[in-house]
């Protein structure tokens, strides 16, 4: 079996002038339509995961900074500068923001690569395009969210006039993760703005660069002051204050299940509306009638894309016993193409992990799996490099259902593989998890496909593909993978309240 750890990873590639400008500007917050200094001087270093070196700094916002941002969003909502705009005007402004992201695609992709570690080409083709797509899709909902006329059922006809209005919730606190920084920011602000809400956006402290650059584009697009505010800082301080703030009406969070539970508890104090997109341990189920090469390649991409730092990563493989060995051989062969490289390396398909903390977390899981009896089919180690947080694509076999590597979300390029014999058995195994975010089924049999789609308890089930998402389709999880849905009509309606009006005639 191939080992992809033989060659050293070169971490240093030159930054563009645009990237140097973004990294070199003074740390600041975007509040009430302007760049402002923090009330204190604390900052957070920007670490390039490809080198492990500090390349800049962002503000670690104080509680007073959070209060300023929420106050700005509150004023912008209450005085009608956004909510009272004609819906078509809101739509045009959101579309303008999408245009500006498209115009600045190369710079945004580079900043994402420097900040997050994903290959620049991947960011340009995936993250930036998805960001543009979600903004364009949600912009159209600005003019399509309406109420409903409902005739009362127990009153004499014509004596009462009743209807239901759909109104924006208010101020939305939006906390996004570090694995898809720009796309997650766009996916949060787009439906909120379309619904008429105002926003305080907090990117992950590890990856704030594209959110800050997005603030520049929001100003350029002409959004009224205070409609979108961007603050940076640690989750345990800045994020905590934002979630607990009495003037915040809704919280949308994407991240770990543990943090999501904490946010949900805090939100109950003021009964804030909450959308949570949380962890996953998605099964990839391969039946014996597949094209082995295609299924193996698909399974490899399902776990190694973005170095496995994907909530819907296909991290649990279930292959039918009759083809298990061939599938593993195919994934091991495919792993060679996923050798980690620096994010600005034009040949990179997989970059480093986001941080030193995440590197040690993932390596800890690999070691725990080995100690528990798992066998390494490929990887299981870190390549030689001159810096950075690289881990080779890893496949563990001979695993048991009770192992931590099978039950817990690793969030790295680590696949655990198991055999199965029949449909009912694998459906039970696929559902034997506290998570239920995604799953994929690989088969040529349409009946098997639909049976599995019905049996698997997950928010999205893919057939003969994995992790395909589209802005028009709702996305979210079952069980401890979250609350509510994002994207699609459901994703914009969660930013609204229903008001019933009954008038005696």
């Amino acid at each position: 079996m191939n080992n992809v750890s033989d060659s050293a990873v070169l971490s240093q590639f030159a930054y563009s002038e645009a990237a140097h400008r973004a990294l070199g500007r003074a740390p600041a917050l975007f509040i009430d339509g302007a760049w402002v200094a923090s009330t204190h001087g604390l900052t957070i270093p920007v670490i390039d995961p490809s080198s492990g070196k500090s390349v800049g700094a962002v503000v670690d916002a104080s509680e007073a900074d959070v209060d300023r941002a929420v106050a700005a969003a509150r004023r912008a909502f209450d005085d009608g500068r956004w909510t009272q705009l004609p819906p078509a005007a809101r739509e045009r402004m959101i579309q303008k923001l999408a245009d500006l992201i498209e115009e600045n695609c190369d710079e945004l992709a580079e900043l994402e690569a420097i900040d997050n570690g994903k290959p620049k080409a991947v960011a340009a083709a995936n993250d930036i395009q998805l960001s543009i797509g979600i903004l364009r899709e949600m912009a159209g909902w600005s003019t399509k969210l309406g109420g409903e006329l409902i005739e009362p059922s127990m009153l004499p006809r014509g004596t009462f006039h009743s209807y239901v209005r759909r109104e924006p919730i208010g101020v939305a606190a939006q906390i996004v993760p570090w694995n898809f920084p720009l796309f997650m920011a766009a996916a949060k602000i787009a439906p909120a703005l379309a619904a008429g809400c105002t926003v305080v956006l907090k990117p992950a402290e590890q990856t704030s660069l594209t959110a800050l650059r997005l603030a520049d584009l929001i100003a350029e697009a002409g959004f009224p002051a205070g409609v979108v505010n961007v603050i940076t800082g640690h989750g345990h301080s800045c994020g905590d204050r934002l979630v607990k703030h009495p003037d915040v009406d809704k919280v949308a969070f994407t991240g770990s299940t543990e943090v999501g539970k904490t946010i949900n508890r805090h939100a109950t104090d003021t009964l804030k509306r909450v959308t949570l997109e949380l962890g996953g341990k998605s099964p990839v189920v391969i039946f014996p009638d597949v094209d082995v090469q295609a299924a193996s390649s698909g399974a490899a991409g399902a776990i190694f894309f973005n170095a496995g730092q994907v909530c819907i990563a296909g991290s649990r493989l279930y292959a039918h016993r009759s083809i298990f060995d061939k599938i593993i051989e195919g994934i091991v062969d495919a792993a060679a193409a996923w050798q980690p490289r620096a994010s600005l390396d034009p040949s990179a398909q997989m970059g480093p992990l986001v941080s030193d903390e995440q590197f040690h977390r993932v390596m800890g899981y690999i070691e725990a799996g080995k100690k528990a009896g798992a066998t390494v089919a490929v990887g299981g180690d870190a390549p030689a490099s001159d810096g950075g947080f690289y881990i080779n694509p890893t496949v563990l076999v001979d695993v048991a259902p009770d192992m931590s590597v099978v039950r817990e979300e690793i969030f790295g390029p680590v696949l655990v593989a198991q055999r199965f014999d029949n449909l009912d058995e694998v459906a039970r195994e696929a559902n034997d998890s506290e998570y239920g975010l995604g799953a994929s089924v690989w088969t040529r049999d349409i009946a098997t496909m639909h049976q599995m789609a019905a049996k698997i308890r997950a928010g999205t089930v893919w057939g003969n593909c994995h992790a395909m998402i589209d802005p028009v389709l709702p996305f979210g999880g079952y069980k401890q993978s979250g609350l509510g849905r994002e994207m699609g009509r459901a994703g914009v309606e969660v930013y609204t309240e229903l008001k019933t009006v009954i008038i005696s005639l």
Side-chain angles (χ1 to χ4, degrees):
M1 292 185 177
N2 296 332
N3 190 315
V4 298
S5 63
D6 296 332
S7 60
V9 177
L10 181 63
S11 64
Q12 293 301 308
F13 286 82
Y15 296 171
S16 69
E17 290 185 11
H20 278 297
R21 284 196 301 271
L23 291 165
R25 67 181 183 181
L29 305 167
F30 186 72
I31 297 176
D32 210 13
W35 290 103
V36 299
S38 172
T39 58
H40 64 197
L42 299 182
T43 60
I44 300 170
V46 174
I47 306 296
D48 184 339
S50 293
S51 66
K53 297 178 180 177
S54 176
V55 295
V58 298
V59 170
D60 184 10
S62 66
E63 288 194 359
D65 294 330
V66 175
D67 292 347
R68 284 194 294 167
V70 173
R74 184 82 264 165
R75 287 192 300 272
F77 183 83
D78 290 345
D79 67 16
R81 71 185 77 167
W82 185 245
T83 54
Q84 297 304 310
L85 275 181
R90 293 205 303 269
E91 179 179 5
R92 285 195 300 272
M93 225 169 290
I94 299 170
Q95 291 283 13
K96 177 61 175 177
L97 179 58
D99 292 342
L100 290 171
I101 290 175
E102 193 167 36
E103 291 171 16
N104 291 273
C105 174
D106 190 72
E107 178 189 352
L108 290 166
E110 182 180 7
L111 291 177
E112 206 79 304
I114 293 169
D115 213 12
N116 168 271
K118 69 180 61 195
K120 178 183 174 182
V122 172
N126 185 78
D127 300 48
I128 311 305
Q129 299 310 313
L130 282 172
S131 301
I132 295 166
I134 191 70
L135 284 163
R136 295 209 190 287
E137 167 61 21
M138 289 301 168
W141 281 107
S142 301
T143 58
K144 297 173 180 64
L145 285 173
E148 185 179 7
L149 177 67
I150 302 176
E151 191 76 26
S153 65
M154 297 181 67
L155 299 171
R157 187 173 180 84
T159 59
F160 286 84
H161 178 62
S162 56
Y163 59 95
V164 177
R165 289 175 52 87
R166 188 174 289 279
E167 300 181 347
I169 283 179
V171 175
Q174 302 185 309
I175 303 173
V176 300
W178 46 256
N179 57 339
F180 292 92
L182 182 63
F183 171 56
M184 288 287 101
K188 292 285 189 292
I189 69 171
L193 294 174
C197 295
T198 57
V199 168
V200 179
L201 174 71
K202 194 201 88 66
E205 57 264 32
Q206 300 93 337
T207 53
S208 298
L209 292 182
T210 49
L212 294 171
R213 189 70 183 94
L214 181 65
D216 289 331
L217 303 182
I218 286 167
E220 187 176 345
F223 284 83
V227 172
V228 181
N229 306 272
V230 181
I231 57 174
T232 58
H234 285 290
H236 61 77
S237 53
C238 172
D240 184 66
R241 175 61 178 167
L242 193 54
V243 168
K244 294 177 179 177
H245 203 289
D247 282 337
V248 168
D249 302 296
K250 176 178 173 64
V251 177
F253 169 79
T254 298
S256 72
T257 295
E258 180 183 1
V259 175
K261 289 178 180 179
T262 299
I263 287 173
N264 202 33
R265 285 193 294 270
H266 291 327
T268 59
D269 291 340
T270 52
L271 289 181
K272 290 178 172 61
R273 307 306 188 253
V274 177
T275 301
L276 302 173
E277 194 264 278
L278 307 178
K281 192 73 175 177
S282 298
V284 175
V285 182
I286 304 179
F287 284 88
D289 62 344
V290 297
D291 178 320
V292 169
Q293 182 177 357
S296 299
S297 177
I303 183 60
F304 301 141
F305 176 73
N306 206 42
Q309 299 169 128
V310 186
C311 56
I312 48 177
S315 53
R316 288 187 292 148
L317 173 72
Y318 296 93
H320 192 272
R321 189 176 302 276
S322 64
I323 59 166
F324 180 86
D325 291 339
K326 291 181 179 179
I327 291 292
I328 295 301
E329 288 176 7
I331 295 173
V332 168
D333 289 342
W338 293 92
Q339 178 177 343
R341 299 181 183 277
S343 63
L344 296 183
D345 184 338
S347 67
Q349 186 164 324
M350 185 177 90
L353 274 66
V354 72
S355 65
D356 183 63
E357 177 185 4
Q358 190 65 11
F359 171 86
H360 284 97
R361 170 186 163 85
V362 174
M363 289 302 298
Y365 270 110
I366 292 172
E367 292 305 312
K370 292 178 184 177
K371 289 179 181 178
T375 300
V376 177
V378 70
D381 56 358
S385 73
D386 59 353
F389 314 124
Y390 301 92
I391 293 179
N392 283 312
T394 298
V395 177
L396 301 179
V397 296
D398 303 321
V399 298
D402 61 347
M403 289 182 182
S404 63
V405 290
V406 176
R407 303 212 66 80
E408 299 173 19
E409 185 177 39
I410 298 173
F411 226 61
V414 182
L415 177 67
V416 296
Q418 301 173 75
R419 298 170 174 83
F420 74 90
D421 292 302
N422 60 65
L423 186 149
D424 289 335
E425 172 199 0
V426 75
R428 287 192 301 271
E429 291 292 329
N431 288 331
D432 184 20
S433 172
E434 66 184 23
Y435 299 111
L437 193 55
S440 62
V441 178
W442 299 74
T443 179
R444 295 174 178 174
D445 188 314
I446 192 67
T448 297
M449 183 71 73
H450 286 301
Q451 289 176 51
M452 287 296 295
K455 286 177 179 290
I456 292 176
R457 299 195 66 217
T460 303
V461 178
W462 295 279
N464 298 321
C465 60
H466 193 95
M468 303 299 292
I469 61 174
D470 189 281
V472 304
L473 299 172
F475 179 81
Y478 282 34
K479 298 184 279 187
Q480 295 190 39
S481 284
L483 296 172
R485 293 294 182 268
E486 296 186 307
M487 299 192 294
R489 179 174 188 146
V492 68
E493 286 184 346
V494 296
Y495 287 93
T496 66
E497 294 274 25
L498 294 177
K499 176 186 289 182
T500 297
V501 180
I502 306 173
I503 302 170
S504 177
L505 299 177

